[in-house]
Amino acid sequence: MLFFSACYTPEYKPEDTIIPPIDEQISNSICDEIINISISAESNTEGPFSIGDIIPESLLVESDYCYPADSLGRSFSFANHPNKVFMIEMSATWWGPCFDAIQDGDAIYEYWENNERADDVIILHFLDDIFNPTCMQWGNAGILGIPPIVDDGVANTVRGLFPPNPDPSATIYPITIFINHNMQIINIEYGSLNLKDTNLYINCMLDAM
């Protein structure tokens, strides 16, 4: 999600968010699709990695946290979190159109932070091309202290693992990526998802563990 001070809405409270009911047929269809992806891993050792591919451990590099303040000096690596499911968001500081996603971003993180299966889920934001705003300003534009943000580095290391959008009329960069407990890519979205859709994917990944 993109976090700019211009889109900060202090009156918003994620705990007030009402999650609309999910159509059972749609839910079952997506969960079935995730199970089918999980049992049909593709062989790809170099990337970029598409849906169905398993990211090899050799490419699971460490990246430095840049938010919140108490995370500075620590680093993140997928390899240090075995048997977890991931939702990662890719953002760049120059990319303003997605800033409206701040409310959903806070709601998604808080929902899973307080969920009974919180220990099985990691939600993380990777930030590219950090210059203005800074990573700290970016994070502070939302609810203070959340979500954790990782500096993707000048080489856009993690973003480079995933393919650009094949549709030239839409957003080129991958935004939301779901990865299961086997480091297999379950879904790539070229836009930010709301709380309902995100919960559907995460719950389906958990059910497939």
Side-chain angles (χ1 to χ4, degrees):
M1 307 297 173
L2 298 184
F3 297 95
F4 290 105
S5 58
C7 66
Y8 178 41
T9 51
E11 72 279 4
Y12 171 75
K13 298 178 181 179
E15 61 267 25
D16 295 335
T17 300
I18 298 175
I19 305 175
I22 297 174
D23 182 274
E24 184 175 355
Q25 185 175 358
I26 295 175
S27 175
N28 290 339
S29 174
I30 292 179
C31 286
D32 288 345
E33 181 180 346
I34 286 177
I35 292 173
N36 289 334
I37 292 172
S38 299
I39 62 178
S40 58
E42 298 292 333
S43 177
N44 184 351
T45 59
E46 297 181 359
F49 300 98
S50 300
I51 295 173
D53 290 342
I54 294 177
I55 304 175
E57 187 172 352
S58 60
L59 296 181
L60 302 181
V61 299
E62 293 194 357
S63 303
D64 292 333
Y65 283 100
C66 59
Y67 185 84
D70 60 8
S71 70
L72 300 182
R74 295 190 290 114
S75 60
F76 170 84
S77 172
F78 290 103
N80 294 333
H81 300 277
N83 299 315
K84 309 290 185 184
V85 302
F86 302 88
M87 187 204 91
I88 64 174
E89 287 275 336
M90 308 298 302
S91 301
T93 57
W94 48 263
W95 194 13
C98 286
F99 70 85
D100 287 336
I102 187 170
Q103 294 186 355
D104 283 332
D106 287 345
I108 290 167
Y109 187 85
E110 286 207 328
Y111 178 88
W112 286 101
E113 185 180 40
N114 298 305
N115 188 276
E116 63 181 8
R117 297 203 66 177
D119 290 343
D120 297 321
V121 179
I122 292 181
I123 295 175
L124 200 62
H125 294 236
F126 285 82
L127 193 58
D128 290 310
D129 305 329
I130 301 174
F131 53 94
N132 184 25
T134 66
C135 180
M136 201 63 65
Q137 290 171 331
W138 188 283
N140 285 338
I143 294 178
L144 297 183
I146 65 169
I149 302 175
V150 172
D151 182 352
D152 198 25
V154 295
N156 302 330
T157 303
V158 173
R159 189 181 74 188
L161 294 176
F162 309 103
N165 193 345
D167 182 357
S169 66
T171 302
I172 187 173
Y173 297 113
I175 303 296
T176 309
I177 299 102
F178 295 91
I179 303 173
N180 72 7
H181 60 292
N182 292 320
M183 286 308 301
Q184 185 179 29
I185 300 169
I186 296 301
N187 191 34
I188 299 175
E189 294 284 342
Y190 294 88
S192 296
L193 295 182
N194 59 31
L195 179 60
K196 181 182 73 171
D197 293 335
T198 296
N199 285 353
L200 175 56
Y201 277 103
I202 292 177
N203 278 314
C204 288
M205 288 194 297
L206 290 172
D207 289 344
M209 288 179 67

